[in-house]
Amino acid sequence: MTMPPDIVDAISRIEAQTFVRQVDWFSEIGSTNDYALSIASDLAVITPRLVWADRQQAGRGRSGNSWWAGGGALTFSLLIERQSWSDRWTLVSLVTGLAIAEALSEFVPQLPVQVKWPNDVYLAGKKVCGILIEPAPGNTGRLVVGIGINVANSFRTAPADLQQTATALCDQLPRSPSTAEVLLSVLQHWERERIDYCANPDSLLTRWTPRCYLSGKRVQLTAGEASVSGLCRGIDDDGCLLIETASGLERRIAGTVRVQ
Ligand code: BTN
């Protein structure tokens, strides 16, 4: 398929104005994460590489869930080297969520844009973005960071339960930005956050905390068979979630959180 002129223009701006060195664009694909994982072992593949698709037929979410998004969503994956994140690459998810929240805030400055640990982004109290980070197979030291942002895929006519929990930029604005505009802004913020984080890892907590969606809410964290409930007290320096329970403060490095 011939590439639409706005995409050609967006790709040249991405290559000129961001850290991305190569772009793959698809009008339709199974999953951008699957494609990035499939090329990750080839060391001739130059990174950072952006895999961007208008539509995914088999988008994947965290915990083995599928990720469905109608036309107008921004779906992409970045293939990166772990070492570009220094030795603390496990915090990539927190930094990525923060960078996206900051980018989206510029489009909707009047509304709260928050991060839900470990790495969802919430707009006006509803999920607007999900992130799926996966290590590349083998010992390549590469990582795939998959991002789905609801931009022009309105939830206004979605089933009522979905309308309660998810939103898109276009649902909060009189005019939706294009997916290309949002992508460019996210990439620029992401690189800025990466540089700040690598130079001063301790500053992450200071910047993340004011955007924490869970702080002060009653939550239940589930990890495998185990679960812990209590009042969320934000995160610590290591990016662990802090939950105040009847028996004291618990810290958790991973899990799925539900607000009670
Ligand atoms: C989640 O909230 O569960 C994470 C969703 C991640 C979805 C994105 S869309 C682009 C990339 N490709 C995928 O198959 N998944 C991620």
Side-chain angles (χ1 to χ4, degrees), residues 64-256:
N65 295 325
S66 55
W67 172 267
W68 183 87
L74 170 59
T75 50
F76 65 98
S77 301
L78 286 158
L79 177 62
I80 57 167
E81 308 292 330
R82 276 180 200 178
Q83 71 182 35
S84 59
W85 283 84
S86 80
D87 56 338
R88 301 179 72 186
W89 65 268
T90 45
L91 290 174
V92 172
S93 63
L94 295 186
V95 180
T96 301
L98 181 62
I100 294 169
E102 282 170 0
L104 298 189
S105 257
E106 289 182 354
F107 293 95
V108 277
Q110 74 286 10
L111 292 174
V113 184
Q114 293 170 293
V115 276
K116 177 176 175 257
W117 185 93
N119 55 14
D120 287 338
V121 181
Y122 273 52
L123 167 59
K126 297 176 183 181
K127 181 162 169 170
V128 70
C129 162
I131 302 167
L132 175 65
I133 301 184
E134 300 179 293
N139 287 325
T140 57
R142 290 176 162 179
L143 218 52
V144 171
V145 180
I147 298 172
I149 304 177
N150 300 322
V151 176
N153 49 321
S154 175
F155 284 79
R156 285 211 179 103
T157 55
D161 56 334
L162 203 53
Q163 281 190 48
Q164 300 284 312
T165 55
T167 191
L169 281 175
C170 69
D171 293 331
Q172 309 291 340
L173 286 168
R175 181 199 145 265
S176 178
S178 69
T179 50
E181 277 175 274
V182 178
L183 175 57
L184 193 68
S185 171
V186 165
L187 294 173
Q188 287 168 339
H189 278 273
W190 201 69
E191 180 64 351
R192 224 171 290 153
E193 280 300 328
R194 184 190 69 81
I195 291 168
D196 282 0
Y197 170 71
C198 290
N200 183 8
D202 295 339
S203 69
L204 174 63
L205 187 60
T206 320
R207 282 172 297 122
W208 208 89
T209 299
R211 288 199 185 270
C212 181
Y213 171 76
L214 296 173
S215 281
K217 292 191 167 80
R218 296 208 70 78
V219 299
Q220 181 182 44
L221 179 143
T222 311
E225 299 291 291
S227 83
V228 51
S229 298
L231 196 63
C232 179
R233 292 295 187 199
I235 61 167
D236 68 9
D237 275 350
D238 295 320
C240 293
L241 192 72
L242 301 173
I243 302 173
E244 194 179 297
T245 70
S247 50
L249 195 64
E250 301 267 346
R251 79 193 264 283
R252 290 288 184 277
I253 195 157
T256 302

Side-chain angles (χ1 to χ4, degrees), residues 9-22:
D9 178 56
I11 291 175
S12 44
R13 289 176 66 198
I14 287 166
E15 286 174 347
Q17 296 172 23
T18 77
F19 61 93
V20 168
R21 294 186 60 202
Q22 201 157 346

